[in-house]
Amino acid sequence: MTITSAQAPTGLNVHEISWSAKGTLIVDGIDLRAPFGKITGLLGPNGSGKTTLLRAVARLSTPDRGVVHLDGTDLAGLRRRELARRLAVVEQHAGTDLDVTVLDVVLLGRTPYRSALQSDSEHDRALALDALRQVRMADFADRKWGTLSGGEQQRVQLARAITQQPSLLVLDEPTNHLDIAHALSLLSLVQRANLTTLAALHDLNLAAMYCDHLVVLRDGRVEASGTAAEVLTPELLRDVYDVHADVGTHPVTGRPLLTFHPPAGGDLG
């Protein structure tokens, strides 16, 4: 099928999203764009509103105001099943008390495509097993979910999201609990997926290495947005993160490479 200009995917567009809790404004009128097929990194110190914004984008919570469009479609107007076919979420904590296998967890990604009484098809299982291979967890398919480490669970949740075949991937600290080798591997996999991706990240050097576009939040508002070279300046790092850093150039990627100064006198506060 030929895609006309009217049908062409446009990525994620967030307009004037606000969300409050108990009278406190957590996210305040945020506008951002995550380009189609690219990784957009959502940065900011703890308490800046990253997770709250991700939950609003993914319709896991209802914002006080604002709209979220994915490829031109208002996500608020979609039924749950249709939303789940377009959007997959990997949260920081995905615990379950159910006695299920790793393969069972990954197959949950096919739920939006099945009726309530329909069992997993061979196609579903093939997609799930391929996703496990991609995240290097194929040998764990028959393992019980509860026996996995936090990092292993995070990789399985990414496999579940891949199996879902979404247009938008929303990741909340996807490298949390991962050692550096698996963090690099996971973000490389996300990069190769060529999906519109919005990912909250703490590691600024990983964000600089893998993200095509960055959005920095501060106190629930957008402080800066652009490429890593445009955003990750010594001035922004000082003002937003209260750290001093030198910004050089990575010898392999050519992207910014941050070197942080230790706090004076070892003072952490």
Side-chain angles (χ1 to χ4, degrees), residues 151-178:
E152 289 166 344
Q153 289 185 350
Q154 195 80 337
R155 289 155 63 195
V156 171
Q157 285 298 329
L158 180 60
R160 187 263 309 155
I162 292 169
T163 303
Q164 204 167 323
Q165 296 185 307
S167 300
L168 173 65
L169 188 58
V170 175
L171 307 174
D172 190 5
E173 298 296 339
T175 58
N176 197 21
H177 304 302
L178 297 183

Side-chain angles (χ1 to χ4, degrees), residues 8-234:
T10 56
L12 176 72
N13 285 279
V14 175
H15 180 63
E16 285 292 317
I17 286 290
S18 294
W19 190 88
S20 57
K22 298 180 179 179
T24 300
L25 195 59
I26 308 299
V27 170
D28 185 8
I30 286 182
D31 291 297
L32 68 82
R33 179 172 180 267
F36 169 72
K38 304 294 184 181
I39 301 176
T40 296
L42 193 61
L43 309 180
N46 290 338
S48 59
K50 299 188 300 295
T51 295
T52 299
L53 177 61
L54 289 184
R55 291 183 61 81
V57 167
R59 310 305 299 180
L60 296 174
S61 62
T62 302
D64 300 334
R65 63 184 177 90
V67 293
V68 179
H69 285 101
L70 177 61
D71 298 332
T73 299
D74 185 349
L75 296 185
L78 298 179
R79 295 183 177 180
R80 274 289 156 196
R81 180 179 292 270
E82 181 59 29
L83 180 65
R85 291 181 178 181
R86 298 192 184 211
L87 182 154
V89 182
V90 177
E91 297 188 84
Q92 289 188 51
H93 307 289
T96 176
D97 296 327
L98 298 177
D99 184 27
V100 294
T101 67
V102 165
L103 182 59
D104 291 332
V105 171
V106 178
L107 281 167
L108 291 175
R110 302 305 298 164
T111 302
Y113 302 92
R114 302 192 303 256
S115 66
L117 301 179
Q118 189 176 0
S119 60
D120 303 318
S121 68
E122 286 302 314
H123 177 64
D124 293 334
R125 291 179 62 85
L127 287 173
L129 290 170
D130 182 61
L132 281 171
R133 281 190 288 271
Q134 291 184 57
V135 300
R136 301 181 182 180
M137 291 292 289
D139 292 341
F140 290 71
D142 295 326
R143 280 270 299 270
K144 294 297 184 181
W145 167 258
T147 67
L148 302 184
S149 68
E152 289 166 344
Q153 289 185 350
Q154 195 80 337
R155 289 155 63 195
V156 171
Q157 285 298 329
L158 180 60
R160 187 263 309 155
I162 292 169
T163 303
Q164 204 167 323
Q165 296 185 307
S167 300
L168 173 65
L169 188 58
V170 175
L171 307 174
D172 190 5
E173 298 296 339
T175 58
N176 197 21
H177 304 302
L178 297 183
D179 59 40
I180 187 61
H182 285 116
L184 292 169
S185 175
L186 183 142
L187 289 175
S188 294
L189 174 61
V190 172
Q191 192 176 54
R192 292 194 302 271
N194 295 318
L195 290 171
T196 303
T197 301
L198 183 62
L201 295 167
H202 266 308
D203 191 314
L204 301 184
N205 277 312
L206 285 178
M209 184 180 297
Y210 287 100
C211 295
D212 304 285
H213 183 73
L214 297 177
V215 177
V216 180
L217 300 188
R218 182 183 187 183
D219 297 328
R221 298 177 180 174
V222 174
E223 181 74 12
S225 63
T227 65
E230 293 168 336
V231 169
L232 296 177
T233 65

